[in-house]
Amino acid sequence: MTVRRLIIIGSGSAGLTAAIYAARANLSPLLFEGPLIGGQLSLTTLVENYPGFPDGIMGPELMELTKRQALRFGTEILSKFVTRCDFSRHPFRVWSDEELFEAETIIIATGASSRMLGLPAERQLLGHGLSTCATCDGYFFRGKEIVVVGGGDSAMEESTFLTKFASKVSVVHRRDKLRASKIMQERAFKNPKIEFIWDTVVEDIFDPAKEKVTAVKLKNVKTDAVTEKKCEGVFVAIGHEPSTKLFQGQIELDPKGYIVTQEKTATSVKGVFACGDCVDHIYKQAVTAAGMGCMAAMDAEKFLEANAPH
Ligand code: NAP
């Protein structure tokens, strides 16, 4: 079996940028696209904060261009998932179902996904008035009424940020107490543009047929009262889940499942590197993921020079 110099797991901004750098360093990387080809940007519409595109660019197009760039320099891309891995011995082993692949270094770039409410309308309206990222999409909601779902720090941060654009922000939370830190709560409570709707869940979002958000159906969990609230945007801010189940027991994860990196992009296993949203629960931006992807490729190259020179 050919032992690869580098296997990259994941095809979002982090994985593909790592591939561009690694391929240009002659590491002939093999990249597994995984279940969500192009990562979270492939689920978005217009991206206006990625440098180099003054008029914005559609998320899927940005990822297609990045993929072409990775292919141009010799990345081999497999439309397969990694289903199992063994980092306990060198060379490292990964499997896609029964098929085994071996490599001297690994870059994990499996990303994270936003927790969703689980409503059918959510998928249909994502990028059409429904968003999971205020930093990315707040700008599109100038002068509009918005609903933010959640009661944690993310929901408070996003609500406060969104008041720069929105005429009104209604925070819908399923309990009568916030989970957010006191300082973030106080900031939100003081903001005259933010109102709170307590003990309430979103039961539906209208109107997929019109391809835009027009209202939400709310249910008070204490009284069972059902109401409809007009709005033009919904931000779901109920947390993120890193896509790292595959690596449990192989590398160190923090209590929330994010990969722990000690120095730069190095994980707890020498020769295994990690980048992007599977590591980062703070910035979560395409451009920061891309930056970390570049770092991981350079760290892997340095590791190979020192430990497995060709
Ligand atoms: P989080 O702390 O897990 O809060 C998630 C919120 O969403 C909770 O209020 C939860 O309600 C609610 N929720 C979860 N599932 C739901 C569902 N299916 N339907 C309705 N509501 C649901 O997540 P987060 O706010 O993203 O924060 C994650 C971590 O990042 C935290 O450690 C946080 O402190 C940190 N963070 C820090 C900052 C900052 O300091 N600037 C900013 C953002 C995030 P319950 O309260 O009822 O469980």
Side-chain angles (χ1 to χ4, degrees):
M1 160 161 317
T2 320
V3 177
R4 297 268 175 172
R5 300 287 270 164
L6 171 65
I7 284 178
I8 299 170
I9 309 173
S11 59
S13 283
L16 287 174
T17 306
I20 293 168
Y21 274 78
R24 286 174 55 80
N26 285 338
L27 300 183
S28 313
L30 174 69
L31 181 145
F32 286 86
E33 281 189 311
L36 183 58
I37 296 171
Q40 290 185 79
L41 276 192
S42 63
L43 299 175
T44 58
T45 48
L46 192 64
V47 177
E48 287 193 319
N49 54 9
Y50 199 89
F53 300 94
D55 302 319
I57 180 165
M58 297 304 274
E61 188 189 350
L62 175 58
M63 295 324 293
E64 187 50 40
L65 290 170
T66 316
K67 179 174 168 177
R68 268 172 47 197
Q69 200 171 348
L71 285 168
R72 183 182 151 207
F73 296 111
T75 305
E76 188 181 339
I77 297 185
L78 291 183
S79 292
K80 291 185 175 177
F81 307 2
V82 171
T83 49
R84 189 156 60 97
C85 58
D86 180 3
F87 300 155
S88 66
R89 51 169 249 196
H90 206 257
F92 303 118
R93 299 189 294 172
V94 303
W95 287 263
S96 181
D97 295 322
E98 293 313 310
E99 205 176 344
L100 171 66
F101 300 83
E102 290 188 325
E104 284 157 351
T105 52
I106 303 276
I107 292 178
I108 300 171
T110 46
S113 53
S114 300
R115 247 184 245 145
M116 302 302 281
L117 298 168
L119 305 169
E122 235 169 359
R123 279 249 165 262
Q124 292 158 292
L125 289 169
L126 194 63
H128 300 279
L130 187 134
S131 170
T132 54
C133 177
T135 312
C136 317
D137 299 329
Y139 190 81
F140 301 122
F141 293 87
R142 272 183 191 282
K144 297 186 173 166
E145 287 202 19
I146 296 176
V147 161
V148 172
V149 190
D153 279 332
S154 294
M156 294 312 103
E157 191 170 68
E158 304 234 323
S159 304
T160 306
F161 176 77
L162 286 167
T163 57
K164 288 188 193 177
F165 313 101
S167 56
K168 185 178 166 194
V169 175
S170 305
V171 177
V172 174
H173 183 37
R174 62 184 177 182
R175 293 188 293 136
D176 61 359
K177 277 191 190 64
L178 296 173
R179 179 176 297 279
S181 54
K182 282 280 171 295
I183 184 160
M184 307 276 274
Q185 293 195 22
E186 276 160 23
R187 204 170 293 154
F189 287 146
K190 271 194 212 142
N191 191 317
K193 278 192 179 176
I194 300 179
E195 72 160 4
F196 285 84
I197 303 176
W198 302 106
D199 297 314
T200 298
V201 291
V202 174
E203 282 211 320
D204 206 353
I205 307 169
F206 306 114
D207 185 353
K210 292 188 181 147
E211 293 187 357
K212 61 178 186 177
V213 169
T214 56
V216 285
K217 181 178 165 192
L218 301 176
K219 182 178 164 188
N220 184 302
V221 291
K222 287 197 170 150
T223 63
D224 282 341
V226 173
T227 51
E228 206 172 292
K229 178 170 182 59
K230 282 206 165 79
C231 62
E232 288 177 84
V234 174
F235 283 77
V236 179
I238 60 173
H240 285 82
E241 307 253 0
S243 308
T244 56
K245 281 204 178 72
L246 188 61
F247 311 111
Q248 270 170 8
Q250 299 284 336
I251 52 172
E252 188 185 350
L253 305 177
D254 76 8
K256 290 195 170 144
Y258 288 91
I259 297 171
V260 175
T261 47
Q262 282 108 4
E263 199 197 326
K264 296 164 196 147
T265 63
T267 69
S268 57
V269 175
K270 278 196 171 48
V272 178
F273 303 88
C275 53
D277 287 9
C278 59
V279 177
D280 165 31
H281 50 88
I282 299 172
Y283 302 102
K284 298 181 277 197
Q285 300 301 301
V287 68
T288 50
M292 285 173 79
C294 155
M295 288 161 66
M298 293 175 79
D299 290 347
E301 188 189 356
K302 221 173 241 163
F303 174 89
L304 285 166
E305 268 167 27
N307 296 282
H310 262 195

